Amino acid sequence: MKTSATIGLNKVQLSDEVEKAIKAGLPVVALESTIISHGMPYPQNFEMALAVENKVREHGAVPATIAIIEGVLRAGLTRDEIESFAKKGPQIAKVSRRDIPVIVAQKKDGATTVASTMIIAELAGISIFATGGIGGVHRGAETTMDISADLEELAQTSVAVICAGAKSILDIGLTLEYLETKGVPVLGYQTSELPAFYTRQSGFKVDAQIDSAEQMAEILHAKWGLGLKGGVVIANPVPHPYSLDFKEMETVIQNALHEMNQKGIKGKDSTPFLLGKVKELTAGKSLETNIQLVLNNAKVAAEISAAYVASRKK
Ligand code: PSU
Ligand code: MN
């Protein structure tokens, strides 16, 4: 009889390496592709994507970069496929939950966001996912209703997302309220304060500070073992040398938001616009920070994945 896990697995085409690792119960870390196509410029996005995969390997796990290629859900891309996503950039569709059916039916390529990467990771049986920052409740959402589909996904899909918190282009307070309502644990890795992506500080507390990968793994087993479906946010602050100044970033973000509103940019285009604008306004300084925090998340995710698999076998 096919279990739901094997049915899910059949819907996702796995690379040989990822398939072997999943079947052998080895640690695997999912990685998203919107960060490649829409989050950074070429060639830094290509270099980042390869470096992140290497970082996961160095820390004992198998990387599974996730995307949709010619309508097929994929986990584990070739170097050429990653390069093509990096080169084509925003020409590749940014695919969140609602976009999956169209891209699949029309056999197109899609760069997956946090939400759609979580969906594909869960189908493939991958529980741990590393990225940069999650989407959230946007500033002004009380009138625009711009709330990332990432939050609803965290409410229902059982994957842990290691990130550097939420970018302060968002309303961090409202994002935390939303996650609380939806029952999503927000855990700080060696921090009691939620990091704000470019900065280690945000002024907001996490639900709990957890200091080791082993303890993180125990919490994931406790949640999912009890049948409490849904994701977990694991917030990992950017390493000290790369943390940018909070006040300076606030000014930059205000300017970026002002320009976005003036240009009437909204919907799925707002996050990529803000990311690009912030990079431009910080003269590329934010790009280096962005790359470093993703690498650091990949390392912690690999460690948590290894601990998660080890404690499952006990
Ligand atoms: N935040 C970042 N970098 C990113 C993204 C968010 O700091 O690259 C991307 C992720 O793929 C995330 C998506 O899932 O943007 C959220 O888009 P939206 O706000 O349209 O849901
Ligand atoms: Mn949005």
Side-chain angles (χ1 to χ4, degrees):
M1 199 185 76
K2 281 191 170 160
T3 63
S4 58
T6 58
I7 290 168
L9 208 50
N10 292 339
K11 292 178 182 160
V12 182
Q13 191 180 310
L14 308 172
S15 67
D16 287 346
E17 186 192 16
V18 170
E19 182 168 8
K20 274 191 201 129
I22 290 172
K23 292 196 169 149
L26 298 175
V28 179
V29 172
L31 301 165
E32 61 151 310
S33 43
T34 289
I35 194 178
I36 304 174
S37 295
H38 297 261
M40 290 178 198
Y42 182 81
Q44 289 93 337
N45 56 356
F46 180 45
E47 289 156 12
M48 177 277 305
L50 297 181
V52 165
E53 288 204 341
N54 285 337
K55 190 60 109 181
V56 169
R57 284 202 177 87
E58 271 168 36
H59 292 271
V62 170
T65 299
I66 288 179
I68 302 178
I69 298 184
E70 294 176 355
V72 179
L73 311 186
R74 297 274 306 274
L77 305 187
T78 65
R79 189 188 159 97
D80 286 350
E81 287 166 339
I82 292 175
E83 185 166 27
S84 152
F85 268 61
K87 270 195 174 149
K88 288 183 187 155
Q91 282 170 32
I92 305 245
K94 173 181 162 190
V95 174
S96 197
R97 170 178 274 268
R98 64 148 186 200
D99 310 294
I100 294 175
V102 174
I103 297 296
V104 168
Q106 297 183 351
K107 302 195 175 7
K108 291 191 172 146
D109 292 344
T112 52
T113 62
V114 168
S116 52
T117 303
M118 287 178 76
I119 294 171
I120 297 171
E122 187 179 60
L123 283 171
I126 304 171
S127 306
I128 313 291
F129 162 23
T131 186
I134 55 168
V137 179
H138 280 256
R139 296 190 191 188
E142 56 282 12
T143 51
T144 63
M145 288 185 69
D146 188 354
I147 300 173
S148 174
D150 292 353
L151 299 185
E152 274 305 307
E153 210 57 56
L154 282 159
Q156 59 180 310
T157 300
S158 300
V159 171
V161 183
I162 292 79
C163 62
K167 199 167 268 173
S168 39
I169 56 173
L170 302 170
D171 187 319
I172 296 178
L174 292 187
T175 301
L176 286 173
E177 291 293 347
Y178 199 100
L179 291 169
E180 181 183 356
T181 301
K182 296 291 179 174
V184 179
V186 177
L187 310 177
Y189 183 70
Q190 299 175 348
T191 180
S192 61
E193 186 166 348
L194 182 77
F197 198 83
Y198 299 118
T199 59
R200 293 176 63 89
Q201 278 84 38
S202 68
F204 291 93
K205 296 277 166 225
V206 293
D207 306 340
Q209 171 173 344
I210 308 298
D211 290 332
S212 73
E214 289 69 27
Q215 286 173 280
M216 283 291 184
E218 294 301 335
I219 292 167
L220 300 180
H221 284 300
K223 177 174 160 76
W224 295 328
L226 287 169
L228 297 172
K229 289 203 180 69
V232 175
V233 173
I234 297 178
N236 181 36
V238 60
H240 273 293
Y242 301 100
S243 185
L244 301 178
D245 185 69
F246 191 82
K247 280 208 189 100
E248 193 183 317
M249 288 314 291
E250 184 57 33
T251 311
V252 163
I253 286 159
Q254 288 295 352
N255 290 338
L257 284 167
H258 180 73
E259 188 170 335
M260 181 181 85
N261 292 331
Q262 269 192 334
K263 290 191 164 148
I265 292 166
K266 44 184 187 293
K268 68 196 285 183
D269 297 329
S270 60
T271 297
F273 175 83
L274 290 169
L275 299 179
K277 205 72 217 169
V278 166
K279 191 200 128 237
E280 188 187 307
L281 295 173
T282 60
K285 210 165 46 167
S286 67
L287 181 59
E288 179 60 15
T289 297
N290 199 344
I291 293 167
Q292 292 301 328
L293 65 84
V294 179
L295 286 171
N296 191 39
N297 294 341
K299 167 178 171 279
V300 170
E303 289 167 355
I304 294 172
S305 178
Y308 182 75
V309 163
S311 52
R312 186 169 56 202
K313 284 180 185 150
K314 263 193 243 156

